[in-house]
Structure formats: C-alpha cells, structure tokens
Amino acid sequence: MSRPYLMIPGPIEFTDEVMSEMSRPTPSHVDPAFIEVFGQALERLRTVFLAGPDYQPFILAGSGTLAMDSAVANLVEPGDRALVVDTGYFSQRMADIVQRYGGEVTLLSAAPGETITPEQLRAALAEDACDLVTITHVDTSTGVLTDVKGLSAVAKEQDALVIVDGVCAAAAEEMRQEAWGVDVYLTASQKAIGTPPGLGLLVASPAALAKWRGRKHPVGSYYSDWGYWLPIMQAYEARKVGYFGTPAVNLVMALNVSLQQILDEGMEQVFARHVLLSNAVKAGLAAMGMTQLPADMAHAAHTLSCPCYPEGIDAGFLRFVRAEGAILAGGLHPVVKSKYFRIGHMGAASRADVLTALGAVEAGLRQAGYAVEPGVGLAAAQAVLA
Ligand code: PMP
C-alpha cells in the first residue's frame, strides 16, 4: 500500500466491501431495499452482541458519545444513584453525562493502567447502594480491559442496571450481553465494528426498556429520546416504513456489510483472533525493550496496545513511524499522556497488519536514535503467531 496504514485505536482501516457501500448512490431512507438492509443490520447487531430476540437494538446517526448519551438520557432520572467504574478518560465522560441528566454519581476510580475488581465493586456497593452501574469495557486511553462478566454479576446482586461502554471493545473483546446480564451495550461504528465514523450503536435489555417505560420524568434530551427512536427501529425490523430523523443511509448500508463480515468469521473466532494479534504485538514490543500500560497483562485490552516510550524517545518519534508506513496515536490519559503511545489492532486487522505496525515502530525507533536489534520485535511476534 502506498499510503501509511491507519493503526490508531479508531477509526481503523475498513474493508473494501464496506468502503464500496459508502460510494453507492444513496437510496431513499424509505426505499424497500433500504428498509430490508436496515432491518438486517438491526438483527445482525443483536447477534454480534450475543443478545436474545427480546433485546432492542438502536442504530443512530452520531458518534459513540451519542450512544452514551442515548443510554443515560433514557435510563437515568433525576436523583438516581449511579456507580461509575472509573478506569480512565471515557469513564469520566460517562460520569459527566450521568450528572448532566440529574443522576448522583459515585466514582470508583482505578489508578491509570489499573482496573477495578468485582470484589472492589461489591465493597463499594455495600457502602453505597446504586440504581445503575456503568463500566467501560476497554478504556481507550490506557488499554485497560475490565472484567465485565464479573462486575456485571456483582451489580445484579443489587438489581442495579448495567450500562457498558463497548466503544473500544465491541466485536473484538469477548462480550455475551444476555448471558452476562448487561442491560445496555453500546459502541460506535468506527472501531472493531468496522464502518466509517458516524453511527452510535446500542442494544438494550428488556429490563432497560422496562425502566425507561416506567420513568416519572420526561427524557431530558429531544434527539436521544427512545420514545421517538424505538418505533422507528421496530418498524425497520418489521420491514415497514418509519421516519423520525433521516438515517445515515450509506453508513447503515456499510454497517450491514461489516456486521455480516463479522458474523461470517464467527464471534468465537473474532474474539480469539483479537487475543492472538494482541499477544503478538505485546510480545514484539516487549522484545524491543518497551514496558507497557497496563503493567499487568491480565487486564490488558486486546484491541490496542499502549507501549511506553523508551528512555530518550518522545512523541516526536511517531512521525518516523508514519514515514515507515503506520499511523499510530500518542497518549491520551492526562496523568500519563507524555509517557506512552497507542497502537490499534482491531476489526479487520490481520497478521500482516500487526507485523507492518511492529516493523514501522522498530524502524522509527532506530531513526529516533534508540538502538534496537533489527527484526527482534518481528521475530517475537512471529513466534506468537506461529
Ligand atoms: N468511549 C470509548 C471507550 C471510546 O474509546 C470513545 C472514542 N475513542 C468514546 C467513548 C467516544 O466515542 P466517539 O469519539 O465516537 O464519540
């Protein structure tokens, strides 16, 4: 490829089949062929999240932040108590959104690069009963993976609703929405889901819908109100015409293709491929002498890696990496921002892609003046892939 490869933690590189949907003539949003596509996309989203037929998918025009807003605006009423499992930058955004809709937030915060265990959550909830627990599946700022299954089980001991931000995890990290008792799993199109930016995606459980139906106060956001969107999603799934706001037609067509590509691979294979690629990247980085965030690989994400700059190297080295063929991201967590960079390896990412990224990092490091033995990172990664 003549252009550098985009390997940040989203947006990612999209498949040719997805991109060709983006360039097709835009049909009417009430064209029967488009209604069929939208209906399929809703069904496929539910399947990708491993949720049952009574779970309600929503496909909205907007980014991942809109999906967060949609979940919270509809499920939080003034005075509701929410415990926010805080593993970094995006958990804090969730706390802000809950407060904006009148919820009372208790933050259960981990240090940057650390996680929160189910035992810690149980202790926090024993002190402070909550109506709602929010969890960030993968914190994109530090590469921390949370134990959604364990945390969610603890929240259910108290009948709390569970909202999980899966923006940097959905369709990559293991997630069994129904089996794990997750009431809302939400994401955005531009990461492992594999569609250009512009769609907020969420699937709500029957308990979440019941909580919304029983609200005493109107939903505080006009655009996010499920009262407008639920009939539209139900209409498309029933292959009927519905209109509230014009859907992002080409993005929905592209989404339908990417969801089918994910399902063709199979969810278990998708989860396993992300583990394998992540292990290869992390082994390659370690072999080049770099430490990583999180320090404990037991709670490291498989969608991205967060290597710390070696002594004497800073973010300036990323321009050498780019010239060598890979666009990577700098640090994001305000407390440790200048100490690390980030490599995304999710969605359609392949073995060849992660080797490209590692090769570019190695060449970039040498150009920045850091002595690294040629091929040492690639050899370690290849050993994992073999
Ligand atoms: N949550 C997480 C975990 C994210 O990584 C992001 C985006 N990087 C968001 C929420 C917000 O998504 P968006 O930028 O699409 O609004």
Side-chain angles (χ1 to χ4, degrees):
M1 196 184 297
S2 57
R3 62 181 171 82
Y5 209 63
L6 185 60
M7 293 200 69
I8 64 173
I12 63 164
E13 292 281 343
F14 306 112
T15 65
D16 293 344
E17 294 78 10
V18 164
M19 291 314 287
S20 80
E21 291 299 305
M22 296 298 294
S23 63
R24 281 176 54 182
T26 302
S28 159
H29 58 293
V30 294
D31 185 306
F34 177 70
I35 292 175
E36 176 61 28
V37 164
F38 204 131
Q40 286 177 2
L42 289 162
E43 289 159 1
R44 289 174 187 171
L45 182 62
R46 191 192 276 119
T47 310
V48 164
F49 287 5
L50 298 175
D54 48 352
Y55 281 60
Q56 180 60 51
F58 294 84
I59 298 175
L60 306 170
S63 76
T65 306
L66 178 79
M68 296 166 84
D69 187 274
S70 171
V72 174
N74 287 281
L75 295 180
V76 172
E77 293 206 65
D80 279 359
R81 296 157 68 101
L83 189 139
V84 173
V85 173
D86 169 20
T87 47
Y89 186 89
F90 289 103
S91 313
Q92 287 164 14
R93 177 172 298 186
M94 187 65 98
D96 288 347
I97 299 173
V98 171
Q99 279 167 338
R100 182 64 67 96
Y101 289 108
E104 286 167 25
V105 169
T106 302
L107 275 179
L108 178 58
S109 299
E114 296 302 324
T115 194
I116 296 289
T117 63
E119 294 69 34
Q120 287 171 303
L121 177 62
R122 186 176 289 113
L125 288 175
E127 248 174 55
D128 209 358
C130 281
D131 307 292
L132 175 76
V133 172
T134 76
I135 304 166
T136 310
H137 197 173
V138 166
D139 174 60
T140 324
S141 69
T142 52
V144 167
L145 173 69
T146 48
D147 172 8
V148 172
K149 184 183 180 190
L151 294 170
S152 181
V154 169
K156 290 290 143 190
E157 290 166 8
Q158 292 225 356
D159 283 335
L161 279 185
V162 177
I163 297 180
V164 179
D165 170 353
V167 173
C168 197
E173 300 287 357
E174 182 181 5
M175 161 52 66
R176 305 175 192 281
Q177 182 174 2
E178 184 168 5
W180 291 1
V182 171
D183 292 295
V184 173
Y185 194 49
L186 66 90
T187 190
S189 49
Q190 74 271 16
K191 303 206 192 205
I193 287 280
T195 302
L199 293 177
L201 308 171
L202 54 155
V203 174
S205 71
L209 292 171
K211 158 91 179 157
W212 167 72
R213 286 202 178 92
R215 287 180 67 95
K216 294 177 193 68
H217 305 84
V219 172
S221 158
Y222 183 83
Y223 187 78
S224 283
D225 192 340
W226 289 352
Y228 298 120
W229 291 113
L230 180 62
I232 307 309
M233 300 302 138
Q234 288 171 331
Y236 274 116
E237 208 172 339
R239 310 305 197 256
K240 292 189 182 136
V241 174
Y243 168 73
F244 173 60
T246 308
V249 175
N250 285 74
L251 282 168
V252 174
M253 288 158 39
L255 174 71
N256 193 38
V257 169
S258 62
L259 291 173
Q260 187 58 51
Q261 290 180 328
I262 291 163
L263 292 172
D264 284 346
E265 183 177 357
M267 294 318 298
E268 304 308 322
Q269 288 79 356
V270 166
F271 300 148
R273 173 170 53 82
H274 283 84
V275 171
L276 179 72
L277 296 182
S278 172
N279 288 345
V281 171
K282 288 170 174 67
L285 294 167
M288 286 189 267
M290 280 179 274
T291 58
Q292 296 170 54
L293 274 178
D296 182 352
M297 285 296 141
H299 58 257
H302 304 103
T303 48
L304 77 159
S305 297
C306 300
C308 300
Y309 298 114
E311 192 68 30
I313 306 289
D314 62 21
F317 120 95
L318 295 176
R319 72 174 187 279
F320 298 125
V321 181
R322 186 188 175 112
E324 292 294 334
I327 301 173
L328 306 181
L332 178 62
H333 195 292
V335 179
V336 285
K337 199 175 160 74
S338 61
K339 296 194 166 56
Y340 70 106
F341 61 105
R342 295 174 299 150
I343 308 172
H345 32 77
M346 63 184 118
S350 67
R351 292 163 185 245
D353 299 338
V354 300
L355 294 173
T356 299
L358 283 173
V361 167
E362 184 185 302
L365 283 174
R366 265 199 303 280
Q367 285 174 45
Y370 175 77
V372 51
E373 196 190 318
V376 71
L378 289 167
Q382 291 277 32
V384 173
L385 295 174

